[in-house]
Amino acid sequence: MNKTIPLLIAATLSTSAFADHDKHEMKHHGGDQMKHAGMNHDHGAEHDHGSHDHNAMAHEHGDMVMNTATITHTDEISAALSNGGAPVVVDVLGVVCDFCATAMNKIFGKRDEVAALYVDLDKKTLSLVINDGSDLSDKQIEKLAKQAGYRIAAIRRDSEAMGG
Amino acid sequence: MIKMILRIALVSMSLMLCATAVARPVSYAGGWTLIETSNRASTAGLVHYSPAHNFSVGLRHEWQRASDVKLTAIQPSLLVNRWFGREYQGNLYLTGGLGTAKDESPNNRGSETASFVGVMADWETRTLFVSYEARFLEQGALGNHSMHAARFGWAPYAGDTGELHTWLMLEVDRREHFEDKTSVTPLLRFFKGPALLELGYNLTDPSPLVNFTYRF
């Protein structure tokens, strides 16, 4: 019995350690959860389609209720916007505690493209300001959120992120 | 590199000062976590590193106070699945460990190879929390232990980012190798930024509960 437990651990880790990873990819790219039903933003003239990769990530609205939250203004975010940064608001699923915020801060805060960020537990959003001249595509944002352990539901940029 | 060495040194010192623990056993990719737990059965410390968002590997040191047995083990943990919702998060983890257990009591029963497997599941919103945890430990002649624990928590207010989050919790645990097999511990959880502190008192088997987690 003493030998069976380590074997069980090894078997479990080898067979399932990355099963979730694969499943996660499927959910994001399989199409089923990438519905635009309940889309909370206008794809009309106001939306700048030139600034990000719209096809790569789309906007996942799986089990999300409509969220039209705009960017959260902190001193850091306001300063970054004043310096010409581009606002991005990311609706994040599963953000319920400060550990979630810590994870997002650590992962996104390392990126040179990010001038300022704030995780808002009340709004369930990640507010980003992208440095002038830099870009962080929807797909990159999705990937970073996954590294933090979370999943995104929608991304709003520019005027949508600012609320008008 | 120097930063990494300092971090390992800090964590090692903390391990020596306190002991082991379990809580959220997997962090964000590249994240380190220090966990200390002390309850009616043991005082323990765990430091783990997560190379990916769904896997961590850590070093655990645990002092089983009643028998004065000290366990040191490598502990890998796997986030099997995380369920997401706009208002909730649920997690299922598997964990295990392999190391040595040493009898430090006057009985001096020597050392044994030790191994354990565990499962953890939790579901939480910003004001409700439910969890279940089980661990099965084998230490040969130094004793085999099983543990089950369930928790229910409620937060009287939903704290925003960086604010102090306060939870009222009740833990019920069952340990077959104890005289009081089932016990109840009310506790308070304080949560702020990367730090989490839990303070409670076991009403059935009078003893304090002190848990601390810090995420780097």
Side-chain angles (χ1 to χ4, degrees):
Chain A
M1 186 61 181
N2 228 3
K3 292 175 183 170
T4 58
I5 289 179
L7 286 173
L8 179 61
I9 295 167
T12 302
L13 294 180
S14 63
T15 55
S16 62
F18 300 102
D20 179 57
H21 179 86
D22 295 336
K23 190 164 54 183
H24 209 115
E25 292 289 346
M26 292 278 290
K27 283 179 180 173
H28 279 278
H29 302 291
D32 288 344
Q33 294 196 11
M34 291 181 155
K35 296 168 188 168
H36 279 252
M39 202 67 180
N40 54 18
H41 59 272
D42 173 17
H43 275 250
E46 286 184 5
H47 196 73
D48 177 12
H49 283 253
S51 63
H52 64 280
D53 180 4
H54 213 61
N55 293 324
M57 182 7 242
H59 299 249
E60 182 184 346
H61 290 265
D63 51 358
M64 184 191 161
V65 178
M66 181 182 287
N67 187 2
T68 55
T70 55
I71 198 162
T72 299
H73 287 274
T74 64
D75 290 346
E76 189 187 18
I77 282 183
S78 297
L81 289 171
S82 300
N83 288 333
V88 180
V89 174
V90 183
D91 295 330
V92 188
L93 297 176
V95 180
V96 294
C97 69
D98 259 6
F99 275 178
C100 315
T102 299
M104 304 288 274
N105 283 331
K106 294 281 187 184
I107 294 291
F108 282 89
K110 287 179 187 168
R111 298 292 299 213
D112 292 337
E113 299 92 332
V114 176
L117 76 156
Y118 183 76
V119 177
D120 191 322
L121 294 180
D122 284 339
K123 294 179 180 175
K124 283 92 179 168
T125 57
L126 166 66
S127 292
L128 296 169
V129 179
I130 308 301
N131 278 315
D132 190 19
S134 297
D135 185 30
L136 204 56
S137 70
D138 287 4
K139 192 162 188 170
Q140 286 175 305
I141 292 173
E142 179 196 27
K143 190 176 174 185
L144 292 170
K146 185 175 175 180
Q147 287 175 13
Y150 297 90
R151 186 184 302 167
I152 66 174
I155 297 175
R156 292 181 291 284
R157 293 174 184 266
D158 305 320
S159 59
E160 282 182 330
M162 297 301 288
Chain B
M1 188 62 182
I2 292 171
K3 202 172 169 185
M4 176 89 70
I5 292 168
L6 286 173
R7 189 173 285 169
I8 290 169
L10 174 68
V11 159
S12 303
M13 280 164 50
S14 304
L15 271 173
M16 285 186 277
L17 289 173
C18 52
T20 330
V22 179
R24 253 196 200 163
V26 181
S27 182
Y28 58 89
W32 288 81
T33 305
L34 171 67
I35 305 173
E36 174 275 336
T37 56
S38 187
N39 52 44
R40 68 168 176 146
S42 63
T43 302
L46 168 69
V47 57
H48 67 70
Y49 173 74
S50 297
H53 74 281
N54 59 356
F55 178 72
S56 75
V57 61
L59 176 65
R60 179 179 183 83
H61 182 68
E62 176 179 313
W63 175 31
Q64 296 153 23
R65 292 191 307 273
S67 56
D68 204 5
V69 168
K70 289 180 179 166
L71 162 72
T72 304
I74 298 294
Q75 179 174 338
S77 299
L78 174 73
L79 171 62
V80 177
N81 200 15
R82 174 168 286 162
W83 291 268
F84 300 92
R86 184 166 148 73
E87 305 290 343
Y88 70 89
Q89 178 189 135
N91 299 287
L92 176 64
Y93 300 97
L94 287 179
T95 190
L98 181 63
T100 59
K102 187 177 180 188
D103 186 0
E104 302 274 4
S105 74
N107 297 331
N108 194 17
R109 290 173 293 171
S111 296
E112 291 276 353
T113 298
S115 56
F116 61 88
V117 290
V119 60
M120 279 166 271
D122 64 63
W123 181 90
E124 65 183 296
T125 68
R126 291 178 67 197
T127 55
L128 292 174
F129 178 91
V130 184
S131 72
Y132 168 77
E133 177 183 351
R135 188 180 79 157
F136 305 93
L137 168 68
E138 288 206 353
Q139 302 176 128
L142 302 183
N144 300 328
H145 303 162
S146 68
M147 181 279 292
H148 302 266
R151 268 200 196 188
F152 309 91
W154 173 71
Y157 63 94
D160 202 358
T161 313
E163 293 178 353
L164 177 66
H165 301 231
T166 306
W167 288 80
L168 309 175
M169 294 187 155
L170 190 69
E171 179 173 297
V172 179
D173 72 311
R174 184 166 178 86
R175 299 169 196 268
E176 297 296 338
H177 58 294
F178 273 58
E179 189 176 328
D180 293 315
K181 290 185 177 2
T182 302
S183 77
V184 177
T185 307
L187 63 126
L188 285 171
R189 169 184 281 187
F190 302 104
F191 203 160
K192 186 171 169 58
L196 181 152
L197 174 68
E198 295 177 338
L199 299 171
Y201 195 79
N202 193 312
L203 301 177
T204 313
D205 188 358
S207 53
L209 176 146
V210 181
N211 296 335
F212 177 72
T213 299
Y214 193 89
R215 190 153 280 182
F216 298 90

